[in-house]
């Protein structure tokens, strides 16, 4: 994937985390043909978890995403063994 993909994704994720603006995330997912979950809680958790693994997202944004994910009652990290 080219650098533009990561830049667009990261900007959309940062805007969602800091400003609770999900329009950029939804637009990015649609552009990339990524299915958009209907459940708002699932959308938020997906982004908050993914942010933890994005290399160019600042640590302070990752911390905010971590807190917001915990507020949803979810682990802020992806468990690659299939557990929440």
């Amino acid at each position: 994937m080219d650098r533009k993909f990561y830049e667009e994704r990261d900007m959309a994720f940062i805007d969602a985390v800091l400003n609770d603006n999900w329009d950029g995330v939804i637009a990015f997912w649609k552009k990339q043909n990524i299915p958009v979950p209907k459940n708002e809680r699932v959308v938020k958790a997906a982004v908050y978890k993914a942010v933890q693994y994005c290399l160019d997202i600042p640590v302070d944004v990752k911390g905010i995403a971590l807190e917001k994910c915990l507020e949803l009652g979810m682990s802020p990290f992806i468990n690659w063994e299939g557990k929440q």
Side-chain angles (χ1 to χ4, degrees):
M1 293 186 196
D2 64 11
R3 186 78 197 138
K4 185 174 180 174
F5 171 90
Y6 297 108
E7 290 172 357
E8 288 179 13
R9 180 203 60 195
D10 291 354
M11 293 302 294
F13 283 5
I14 290 169
D15 193 29
V17 171
L18 296 181
N19 303 312
D20 205 31
N21 180 3
W22 297 92
D23 294 340
V25 171
I26 302 304
F28 176 77
W29 284 349
K30 286 182 178 179
K31 179 180 177 182
Q32 299 300 325
N33 294 316
I34 299 170
V36 178
K38 295 188 187 304
N39 185 312
E40 182 180 322
R41 186 171 178 256
V42 171
V43 170
K44 289 181 176 185
V47 170
Y48 297 152
K49 287 173 178 265
V51 162
Q52 304 308 318
Y53 301 93
C54 295
L55 299 178
D56 293 328
I57 291 185
V59 173
D60 61 322
V61 175
K62 290 182 180 194
I64 294 167
L66 184 143
E67 290 174 13
K68 289 184 175 189
C69 199
L70 290 172
E71 288 172 5
L72 289 175
M74 308 274 277
S75 167
F77 303 105
I78 298 169
N79 183 330
W80 299 105
E81 295 176 7
K83 301 173 186 168
Q84 184 184 8

